[in-house]
Amino acid sequence: MFVRWSNLLVDAEQAQTLPGYRDPAVVRRFDAPEALDTRFYEVHAKSALNKVPPQSRMFFRWTINPYRGCSHACSYCVSGATPVLLRDGRTRPIADLRVGDAIYGTVREGAYRRYRETQVLAHWETRNEGFRVVLEDGTELVASGDHRFLTARGWKYVTGTEQGAGRRAHLTTNDKLMGFGGFAPGPPDSEEYRRGYLCGVIRGDGHVGSYSYERAGRAHGDVHRFRLALADIEALRRTRDYLGRIGIGTDEFLFSAAAGPHREVRAIRTSARDRVDAVREAIRWPGRVGDDWCRGFLAGIFDAEGCYSRGILRISNTDPEILDWTTWCLRRIGVASALERTGHENGLCNVRVLGGLPAHMRFFHSVDPAIARKRDIEGRAIKSDAPLGVAAVEPLGRKVEMYDITTGTGDFIADGVVSHNCFARPTHTFLDFDAGRDFEKEIVVKVNLPEVLRAELARPSWKREHVALGTNTDPYQWVEGRYKLMPEVWRALLESGTPCSLLTKSPLMLRDIELMKELARTAGFTANVSVPTLDEKAWRATEPHTPHPRKRLEALGELNRAGIPTGVLIAPLMPGINDSPEQVERILELAAENGAGSVSGITLHLRGEVRDVFMGWLRSQRPDLVEHYERLYRRGAYAPTAERERHAKLVRLAREKVGAAGRPDPAPGRAYPAAERRPPAIQESLF
């Protein structure tokens, strides 16, 4: 059917400023069947090339996204001073986080959510009306009204209404947040703290001695020695630094090499009499004790003799004096403990910190031991008796600077409670849309993207690295027929000699086949067509608004006949839905008929809010598979290794059976030569 766009264009009905963009976006609607109830936000982008996070396993480092089809965040943010729990157990204000930082998030496993390592994938600043959330334990969190926290009843917004347009689940004084409670303030880097640390770590695990024996050729046999040997380099380096600050120089050396299950041990030492005497003075028991010294001593003795395993925090020693100082210092800083006698002949006892994870985290943050591995809470369940009931939600009455991050798990730990981030389906954005219907109905169009791209590609610093399109949202989605951004994008890449690739579900790409041919001949270009299934019912259920899979394969054939290297990506492979051998073989048969140069498959992964959207669809469409998927994805976003290997074998056997000539994707971190480069194995949105 021929469509006259000039007759269908509706004038801009409003202007709306989107977070992250300086100028208001022009909001348009189109009176076409495909665009009913959809709004298009025309924005001017600041940049066109998006850098892939360094932790990604993709072989390319750059992407271009003309359209943003999934958007949700930017008002989901918290005050810049809000401390976030890092992977090493320490904290850092959210304003100071950077992309790539390792932090803690959470994942659901069975009946519990558990703490899991994740990374900061994006970080930005915005300005919003602030609200103060006050908890029973005195914690105060400043966030926007649209921010969400995890409660015992699920995720809830900071504000909302019971009726009307603003109706949504929001915090009330009947709610309790999930987590271990507010972070304790860390110790100061004071002289007293440093002396306390030296006393704890050296008395706990060091050797300081002076003795005499006759030695040939020596006037006297006096020997003075200080040595501290540790397998954990953080504690050793801290000790050496603290000794250096008071004028005690030491030498570092290899104490014992790694062997079998035993790690390498390094040590510091000195044999100078004045330095050894100075060490003795530094670790002398003090006459008057302040909080700083106590915190330092506890950090040092924990680094030397402490352990944290299976949720139990202990400090062990045989010296009654050290045990007394340990329990006394714990009482001084308000941490409950119990002395456990082991019955060993040497008098070994354990000082056990009581109170579960809230007390353990308070201990770690209050004293700040050096050894990160001893602060690990990976896999611990999110359950505690911490007083985290909501006492009040109060408007600040003003806008404040706020920050948000995107993480791999879709959340993070903000001042001891589980806080939602903007990880939308299937990737992050910061445009204040949700991950469900908004992904489909609120589309952002970067109308100036070709011009910005040309400017970026013309920079002397641009090294003509591979650029992948279609790894986030499809550049050939329906609205590309209206805005026609891609021809100029391809021309810019062609003129700059930049190799590139495309992943799409749309035959609309054939419109630009001449440009693709020129790119393939010169800079290097390949295309992949995503085809998860040929089953009519499964296609309409999972991808109701995409072009028919057979049309995609026909378009693949045209590209191949034009000399453009093109392959098929069977993605996502959904257990029990589209992964039977017969279904996969049929795709490969048609792929082979259309000359596919490569065939590969990817198992479904469910990151962040993708999980909620997909599981909601599964409950309504395939309730028989819900329990199976909960088992498969109980540990996180990815299916178990065995399931992924099953799918890889399935595709390989199907390829062999039908005689498809395709080859699999390159290994992570490797790319084919420029003329053969293929698009990455990236799973697009299911919906």
Side-chain angles (χ1 to χ4, degrees):
M1 179 178 67
F2 179 73
V3 176
R4 291 182 57 84
W5 281 104
S6 59
N7 293 336
L8 298 177
L9 177 64
V10 177
D11 290 336
E13 55 189 38
Q14 61 184 16
Q16 180 175 333
T17 301
L18 297 180
Y21 293 95
R22 182 184 61 188
D23 300 323
V26 175
V27 184
R28 298 189 187 278
R29 294 178 186 269
F30 298 108
D31 187 16
E34 301 91 336
L36 294 179
D37 300 323
T38 302
R39 289 186 294 184
F40 300 90
Y41 298 77
E42 297 179 357
V43 301
H44 284 79
K46 299 176 183 177
S47 62
L49 290 164
N50 303 307
K51 194 169 186 179
V52 176
Q55 67 273 15
S56 171
R57 295 176 294 176
M58 297 303 114
F59 71 79
F60 58 90
R61 296 180 62 226
W62 300 94
T63 66
I64 299 173
N65 299 296
Y67 306 99
R68 287 294 187 184
C70 56
S71 310
H72 128 288
C74 227
S75 65
Y76 302 153
C77 44
V78 291
S79 166
T82 304
V84 173
L85 184 63
L86 304 178
R87 179 60 178 86
D88 66 6
R90 296 179 174 85
T91 67
R92 186 180 301 161
I94 191 170
D96 296 337
L97 290 178
R98 294 294 179 265
V99 171
D101 284 346
I103 64 174
Y104 275 108
T106 74
V107 297
R108 177 173 289 281
E109 294 181 3
Y112 293 106
R113 276 187 175 268
R114 298 183 183 275
Y115 295 101
R116 289 295 183 203
E117 177 182 358
T118 187
Q119 287 186 315
V120 177
L121 303 179
H123 177 273
W124 59 87
E125 178 183 357
T126 186
R127 186 174 179 85
N128 284 294
E129 294 289 339
F131 292 82
R132 179 185 293 108
V133 180
V134 184
L135 306 182
E136 286 179 73
D137 69 350
T139 300
E140 293 188 1
L141 297 147
V142 175
S144 73
D146 290 328
H147 192 77
R148 283 185 285 174
F149 292 102
L150 183 63
T151 75
R153 302 174 183 177
W155 293 103
K156 290 197 174 183
Y157 292 93
V158 170
T159 63
T161 62
E162 298 297 334
Q163 303 293 334
R167 181 180 180 182
R168 62 186 182 185
H170 61 279
L171 297 180
T172 71
T173 53
N174 293 323
D175 287 314
K176 177 183 177 181
L177 300 192
M178 301 297 289
F180 47 75
F183 300 146
D189 184 21
S190 66
E191 181 181 354
E192 284 301 298
Y193 175 83
R194 294 192 292 270
R195 285 186 174 272
Y197 183 85
L198 291 173
C199 183
V201 72
I202 294 173
R203 285 184 178 273
D205 219 2
H207 169 76
V208 184
S210 296
Y211 45 92
S212 298
Y213 61 91
E214 292 186 7
R215 293 186 291 174
R218 297 293 183 96
H220 61 81
D222 295 342
V223 177
H224 307 278
R225 287 181 179 166
F226 159 67
R227 184 186 68 216
L228 176 66
L230 295 169
D232 294 283
I233 198 68
E234 307 109 307
L236 193 70
R237 296 281 168 80
R238 182 187 284 192
T239 304
R240 190 180 187 191
D241 174 50
Y242 286 1
L243 288 172
R245 293 201 204 184
I246 56 176
I248 304 174
T250 57
D251 299 317
E252 184 178 322
F253 66 99
L254 177 65
F255 184 77
S256 63
H262 302 290
R263 295 182 293 155
E264 176 184 279
V265 177
R266 299 194 66 81
I268 56 175
R269 66 186 172 191
T270 184
S271 298
R273 178 176 179 173
D274 59 337
R275 294 179 182 178
V276 174
D277 287 343
V279 171
R280 286 197 186 92
E281 176 62 23
I283 67 172
R284 178 175 54 85
W285 295 118
R288 299 181 62 182
V289 176
D291 286 353
D292 288 2
W293 189 93
C294 285
R295 295 175 193 275
F297 174 77
L298 290 171
I301 194 64
F302 180 77
D303 278 343
E305 301 287 354
C307 71
Y308 189 45
S309 177
R310 300 180 182 274
I312 299 173
L313 194 159
R314 292 191 181 98
I315 299 171
S316 304
N317 210 276
T318 59
D319 186 335
E321 193 170 23
I322 290 178
L323 293 169
D324 286 346
W325 276 99
T326 301
T327 54
W328 189 87
C329 287
L330 285 169
R331 286 197 301 272
R332 174 77 182 240
I333 68 169
V335 176
S337 66
L339 188 66
E340 301 174 334
R341 304 187 184 279
T342 65
H344 287 253
E345 293 182 0
N346 63 0
L348 179 68
C349 292
N350 301 319
V351 178
R352 179 171 177 173
V353 173
L354 306 177
L357 187 57
H360 300 161
M361 298 306 295
R362 187 164 64 252
F363 171 84
F364 290 140
H365 294 151
S366 296
V367 310
D368 190 28
I371 301 173
R373 69 173 179 84
K374 291 187 177 185
R375 307 167 71 145
D376 187 11
I377 63 170
E378 179 83 5
R380 294 289 306 277
I382 303 175
K383 54 177 182 176
S384 76
D385 295 326
L388 298 179
V390 177
V393 178
E394 307 165 345
L396 296 181
R398 68 182 191 279
K399 288 188 175 183
V400 296
E401 298 297 329
M402 295 186 182
Y403 294 81
D404 201 3
I405 58 177
T406 293
T407 73
T409 57
D411 58 7
F412 57 98
I413 313 305
D415 209 355
V417 297
V418 183
S419 174
H420 205 283
N421 80 168
C422 72
F423 197 82
R425 133 189 172 220
T427 184
H428 64 277
T429 60
F430 47 97
L431 301 172
D432 217 8
F433 299 133
D434 67 40
R437 186 177 182 275
D438 285 355
F439 179 80
E440 306 158 10
K441 298 298 184 181
E442 310 287 345
I443 307 300
V444 176
V445 184
K446 301 175 185 178
V447 293
N448 67 330
L449 185 127
E451 293 85 353
V452 175
L453 178 60
R454 287 182 186 278
E456 292 179 341
L457 295 176
R459 292 172 181 168
S461 59
W462 177 243
K463 304 301 182 184
R464 294 180 178 81
E465 297 180 68
H466 188 101
V467 175
L469 287 93
T471 62
N472 188 352
T473 52
D474 196 332
Y476 283 102
Q477 57 185 285
W478 168 84
V479 75
E480 167 62 15
R482 166 61 180 90
Y483 285 97
K484 299 181 175 62
L485 297 177
M486 288 306 298
E488 289 305 312
V489 169
W490 295 132
R491 289 190 182 97
L493 292 167
L494 178 62
E495 292 165 6
S496 67
T498 299
C500 48
S501 59
L502 169 68
L503 175 62
T504 183
K505 297 181 180 182
S506 175
L508 179 58
M509 63 181 170
L510 294 177
R511 181 198 64 191
D512 302 329
I513 192 170
E514 293 302 320
L515 287 167
M516 295 176 184
K517 286 167 60 176
E518 188 65 16
L519 275 165
R521 188 182 65 81
T522 56
F525 175 81
T526 55
N528 249 16
V529 177
S530 175
V531 183
T533 182
L534 293 175
D535 181 84
E536 195 82 11
K537 184 177 181 181
W539 164 60
R540 292 190 181 280
T542 58
E543 297 182 341
H545 305 300
T546 59
H548 196 287
R550 293 178 183 272
K551 295 294 184 182
R552 305 178 209 176
L553 290 168
E554 291 172 4
L556 177 149
E558 289 196 41
L559 289 179
N560 280 318
R561 285 189 290 275
I564 299 170
T566 311
V568 171
L569 181 63
I570 308 174
L573 282 165
M574 298 171 281
I577 297 175
N578 70 335
D579 66 341
S580 71
E582 296 77 17
Q583 289 174 304
V584 174
E585 287 171 12
R586 185 55 184 149
I587 293 175
L588 265 67
E589 287 173 358
L590 290 181
E593 290 176 10
N594 285 282
S598 60
V599 178
S600 58
I602 302 176
T603 304
L604 171 72
H605 53 260
L606 300 174
R607 291 196 188 100
E609 297 222 349
V610 177
R611 185 188 190 97
D612 296 333
V613 174
F614 179 80
M615 292 304 292
W617 173 84
L618 201 66
R619 290 186 183 94
S620 65
Q621 300 293 324
R622 292 296 303 272
D624 57 307
L625 291 175
V626 170
E627 186 176 346
H628 179 53
Y629 273 75
E630 288 178 342
R631 285 197 306 271
L632 283 177
Y633 294 92
R634 69 183 184 278
R635 294 188 179 277
Y638 295 92
T641 301
E643 187 71 5
R644 300 199 300 272
E645 290 177 347
R646 181 180 72 84
H647 280 161
K649 182 178 180 181
L650 176 68
V651 174
R652 185 176 66 254
L653 292 176
R655 189 165 55 236
E656 293 171 356
K657 183 174 181 179
V658 303
R663 60 182 172 186
D665 281 319
R670 170 180 164 259
Y672 293 124
E676 301 179 7
R677 280 185 185 155
R678 306 189 49 251
I682 294 290
Q683 174 184 312
E684 285 194 282
S685 168
L686 290 173
F687 303 92

